[in-house]
């Protein structure tokens, strides 16, 4: 005498079987997965932060805040201290890699979506990460207040997870990267605690 084995519908579904004991087709499984993915909204980053630490013995540090002010602009605010008075190159870099704190070169070159020449923030052609210069006062403190239309906190131009570099010298906007000298502060741009919507 044979015993009948009854499997709950949940077990059948998990095994990819229909109640009739046949395998559910890939079309059915894909449709189920697609429906499930549509119910989960992708979070939108509205705020980010970068804590800058000294490269080598530069003594330069600071904190930068990034906030989406509308669908096409990002406002960058904050303060950088320990600088020599004057202008300093101020750029988003390719990699959020802080393993080389002696030279800062682990952050790579300027972030650029595509292949563009270096330029001013207002130039039609520029690297994505070209944010120009900040100016330190006599006390070596630079107050940052920039609004940019090229960088973003979401999508292809997102700076989240990228590196940030402050340079020893001014960016003179020459090629290929502005002749801004050594890297004196390095950080990674990350999602702020209240930065997801």
């Amino acid at each position: 005498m044979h015993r009948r084995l009854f499997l709950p519908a949940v077990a059948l579904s998990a095994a990819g079987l229909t109640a009739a004991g046949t395998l559910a087709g890939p079309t059915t499984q894909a449709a189920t997965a697609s429906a499930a993915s549509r119910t989960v909204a992708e979070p939108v980053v509205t705020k980010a932060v970068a804590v800058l630490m000294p490269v080598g013995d530069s003594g330069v540090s600071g904190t930068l805040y990034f906030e989406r002010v509308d669908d096409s602009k990002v406002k960058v605010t904050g303060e950088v201290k320990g600088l020599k008075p004057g202008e300093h190159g101020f750029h988003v870099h390719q990699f959020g890699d802080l393993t080389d704190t002696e030279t800062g070169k682990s952050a790579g070159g300027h972030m650029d979506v595509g292949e563009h020449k270096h330029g001013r923030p207002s130039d039609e052609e520029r690297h994505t990460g070209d944010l120009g210069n900040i100016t330190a006062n006599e006390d070596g403190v630079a107050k940052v207040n920039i609004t940019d239309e090229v960088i973003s906190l979401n999508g292809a131009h997102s700076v989240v997870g990228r590196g940030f570099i402050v340079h020893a010298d001014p960016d003179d906007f020459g090629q290929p990267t502005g002749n801004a000298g050594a890297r004196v502060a390095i950080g990674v741009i990350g999602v702020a605690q209240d930065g997801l919507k």
Side-chain angles (χ1 to χ4, degrees):
M1 185 172 179
H2 298 287
R3 292 183 179 178
R4 289 186 177 180
L5 180 63
F6 291 94
L7 291 175
V10 172
L12 287 170
S13 175
L17 299 173
T18 66
T22 59
L23 285 170
T27 303
T28 304
Q29 293 184 31
T32 304
S34 177
S37 67
R38 286 198 298 269
T39 63
V40 180
E42 186 175 341
V44 174
V45 180
T46 58
K47 295 180 182 178
V49 61
V51 176
L52 302 176
M53 59 185 187
V55 174
D57 60 357
S58 71
V60 178
S61 62
T63 306
L64 302 174
Y65 302 93
F66 300 76
E67 183 173 4
R68 191 177 76 159
V69 292
D70 59 33
D71 289 339
S72 62
K73 296 178 184 177
V74 172
K75 186 174 184 179
V76 186
T77 58
E79 181 179 286
V80 183
K81 58 186 179 180
L83 296 162
K84 66 182 181 183
E87 292 187 327
H88 297 268
F90 192 70
H91 310 125
V92 181
H93 280 242
Q94 289 173 294
F95 310 123
D97 184 341
L98 305 182
T99 54
D100 179 2
T101 56
E102 287 303 308
T103 68
K105 290 183 179 178
S106 56
H110 295 177
M111 175 191 174
D112 189 28
V113 180
E115 297 182 5
H116 303 99
K117 292 181 179 179
H118 179 62
R120 294 173 173 79
S122 58
D123 287 349
E124 186 173 341
E125 182 175 4
R126 52 168 264 201
H127 296 147
T128 309
D130 287 346
L131 295 181
N133 291 297
I134 54 174
T135 303
N137 62 21
E138 293 181 359
D139 297 321
V141 176
K143 300 288 187 180
V144 180
N145 191 341
I146 295 169
T147 299
D148 190 73
E149 298 184 358
V150 176
I151 64 171
S152 178
L153 300 183
N154 301 276
H157 287 209
S158 173
V159 297
V160 176
R162 303 284 190 160
F164 205 99
I165 295 289
V166 179
H167 289 267
D169 301 322
D171 183 340
D172 65 5
F173 309 111
Q175 300 306 319
T177 57
N179 306 303
R183 304 173 184 204
V184 294
I186 187 172
V188 177
I189 303 167
V191 179
Q193 187 176 18
D194 60 346
L196 288 178
K197 186 175 180 181

